[in-house]
Amino acid sequence: MPAHYDALETRAPAEREAALLAALPAHVRHAQTHSAAYADLLAGVSPEAICSRSALAQLPLLRKSELLARQQASRAAGGDPFGGFSTIGWLGLRQAATARRVYQSPGPIYEPEGLAPDYWRVARALVAAGFEPGELVHNCFSYHLTPGAWMMESGAQALGCTVIPGGVGNTEQQLAALADLRPSAYTGTPSFLRILVEKAEQAGQKLSISKALVSGEAFPPSLRDWLQERGIAAYQCYATADAGVIAYETAARQGLVLDEQVLLEIVRPGTAEPVPEGEVGEVVVTVFNPDYPLLRFGTGDLSAILLGPCPSGRSNARIKGWLGRADQTTKIKGMFVHPGQVAEVLRRHPELHKGRLVVSGQMADDQMLLRAELRPGFAAASADLAEALAHSLREVTKLRGQVELLDPGTLPNDGKVIEDARRYD
């Protein structure tokens, strides 16, 4: 079994960083030239100037909600169903290059698939999970409208594997195929793998599966260990329909290693501002895909950079895995309060570093408390600052709340900007 997919995984971190940053200007220029949406979003931006992480951080951040809104507006006007983000399409959709398939994700959001082999870069994650060329893979992602099944299938085929298009459901048929064909590997959600194992055990059937790459939902250590006890070594990858594989687990089981074609930022929820390494925030990716050139795409997921090298020998940065959702929008006294509003309140007071809005009380008796950390070097909290902060909170959210000023490092490093601590019993 190959230790790594290719030599890119073990190159010096400085070499990788230089290569990614060197590719940025051409990628920005391509997006501006071939994507109507980015021609608008990046109007006035000089591609040659986007050659560093600090310059990249000045570009607008595209969140999934905005991508959906642009697609919906374009479709309502009878225009591009991709909202102008795709550079490929089909006859009648202005693009000269042809898409292989088009998918529908919840929203609905539509995503194109280009002609490149292993379009979503899954083969690298399969190798890290122990898959080998020539193996038979039972693929149990849905083949209906969404791209998950095709993501895994294209990666497996790029690796040289044979694929059973199992899909989801029809458990008895799936077990019959597993018994007759005896695949060694599984791709799909971890929960469906557990269902197959449990059903097989009930039927007295011994599954031939010994390895798995799972995705699409949380994969807790308890389930990982449960599968391992039954002879299945399962690893996870973090992927989205828009960006493809972002990071993947290795045999070291210490975080998820970033894909080689992803430039990752972790930003404070509700803002576009990168956080210090190790701090939890929203995962933002720039993916070097000319067919769907997403720049600073906010996934809406929380994670953090895991410091130090991976014991597997892969030299890319690692993230801690999925740590929750960044969109913590909460309804308080009948009004929605967004993480971006909390960020705006803090932005008005340079003495503050970060904050958390805690909502407590019982139904119909909501109470707000903004707990805000002072920046290092600032003097102890003053009554004037607390009063000014309470005024800003009321002005931005249109709701009254209390304020608590804290020393640096007091708040937990969990990415929460709004904490709903209300009682609903």
Side-chain angles (χ1 to χ4, degrees):
M1 183 180 71
H4 304 107
Y5 181 70
D6 58 25
L8 294 179
E9 294 182 353
T10 56
R11 57 183 165 168
E15 179 185 347
R16 176 183 296 105
E17 181 77 356
L20 290 173
L21 294 178
L24 260 181
H27 190 56
V28 171
R29 187 183 307 107
H30 174 80
Q32 284 178 317
T33 305
H34 298 282
S35 159
Y38 277 113
D40 177 32
L41 288 170
L42 304 180
V45 171
S46 170
E48 288 69 28
I50 311 303
C51 56
S52 66
R53 285 186 175 268
S54 58
L56 178 66
Q58 301 307 308
L59 297 183
L61 193 149
L62 174 70
R63 287 194 163 89
K64 201 154 196 159
S65 57
E66 184 182 351
L67 175 63
L68 172 60
R70 282 180 171 264
Q71 285 200 2
Q72 288 175 328
S74 180
R75 294 196 296 267
D80 180 359
F82 298 119
F85 286 96
S86 175
T87 67
I88 58 176
W90 49 82
L91 187 64
L93 189 60
R94 91 174 182 278
Q95 289 98 334
T98 301
R100 177 182 280 119
R101 298 184 184 92
V102 59
Y103 302 95
Q104 182 196 79
S105 293
I109 294 176
Y110 293 96
E111 300 102 3
E113 178 190 357
L115 301 179
D118 195 16
Y119 179 77
W120 291 279
R121 310 174 313 282
V122 175
R124 189 180 301 282
L126 291 169
V127 169
F131 286 51
E132 299 181 64
E135 289 195 286
L136 180 60
V137 179
H138 193 70
N139 186 20
C140 288
F141 279 106
S142 173
Y143 278 84
H144 179 65
L145 285 176
T146 55
W150 303 99
M151 293 170 71
M152 289 294 174
E153 180 169 303
S154 64
Q157 291 177 339
L159 186 58
C161 297
T162 302
V163 176
I164 304 170
V168 295
N170 301 308
T171 309
E172 290 184 2
Q173 286 181 282
Q174 303 257 20
L175 290 176
L178 287 166
D180 292 339
L181 299 173
R182 300 183 299 280
S184 56
Y186 167 95
T187 52
T189 63
S191 60
F192 191 66
L193 177 55
R194 177 165 193 154
I195 289 172
L196 289 175
V197 172
E198 289 176 336
K199 294 291 186 182
E201 288 180 345
Q202 291 170 12
Q205 177 181 341
K206 172 64 176 175
L207 293 184
S208 54
I209 293 171
S210 62
K211 61 189 71 172
L213 179 65
V214 299
S215 192
E217 59 189 27
F219 184 42
S222 58
L223 180 51
R224 177 199 66 199
D225 295 342
W226 185 89
L227 291 168
Q228 187 67 60
E229 290 168 3
R230 286 153 178 82
I232 302 174
Y235 296 86
Q236 61 183 312
C237 71
Y238 169 41
T240 74
D242 324 85
V245 168
I246 294 171
Y248 55 91
E249 194 173 19
T250 74
R253 295 202 186 276
Q254 294 184 19
L256 306 181
V257 176
L258 293 182
D259 180 70
E260 294 296 323
Q261 295 182 45
V262 170
L263 205 162
L264 175 125
E265 301 169 87
I266 303 289
V267 306
R268 198 171 308 286
T271 78
E273 303 162 5
V275 300
E277 279 196 351
E279 187 170 323
V280 175
E282 181 179 3
V283 174
V284 173
V285 294
T286 295
V287 182
F288 293 87
N289 177 1
D291 298 335
Y292 203 42
L294 297 178
L295 290 152
R296 301 205 79 203
F297 178 68
T299 65
D301 295 318
L302 292 176
S303 194
I305 293 289
L306 186 61
L307 302 180
C310 181
S312 71
R314 293 169 175 85
S315 58
N316 208 343
R318 295 172 296 158
I319 57 175
K320 291 183 177 179
W322 186 81
L323 300 177
R325 292 293 293 169
D327 185 4
Q328 300 151 27
T329 299
T330 305
K331 184 175 280 190
I332 306 170
K333 295 183 178 179
M335 297 183 65
F336 284 108
V337 177
H338 306 271
Q341 291 175 291
V342 178
E344 172 58 27
V345 172
L346 298 174
R347 207 163 14 239
R348 296 184 178 196
H349 303 276
E351 306 96 328
L352 302 176
H353 171 52
K354 66 178 181 178
R356 173 177 298 197
L357 186 66
V358 181
V359 190
S360 60
Q362 294 182 330
M363 192 65 72
D365 183 27
D366 299 335
Q367 300 171 32
M368 293 197 319
L369 171 65
L370 179 59
R371 307 185 71 217
E373 283 188 11
L374 290 163
R375 289 188 181 277
F378 277 87
S382 70
D384 289 344
L385 176 57
E387 183 178 347
L389 186 56
H391 176 76
S392 296
L393 180 63
R394 184 169 65 252
E395 190 175 66
V396 172
T397 66
K398 312 305 179 189
L399 296 167
R400 294 180 181 273
Q402 301 297 311
V403 165
E404 180 185 7
L405 297 175
L406 306 169
D407 292 332
T410 302
L411 291 173
N413 179 25
D414 58 8
K416 277 192 178 179
V417 175
I418 301 177
E419 177 185 350
D420 191 346
R422 289 173 289 194
R423 291 174 53 193
Y424 293 94
D425 52 357

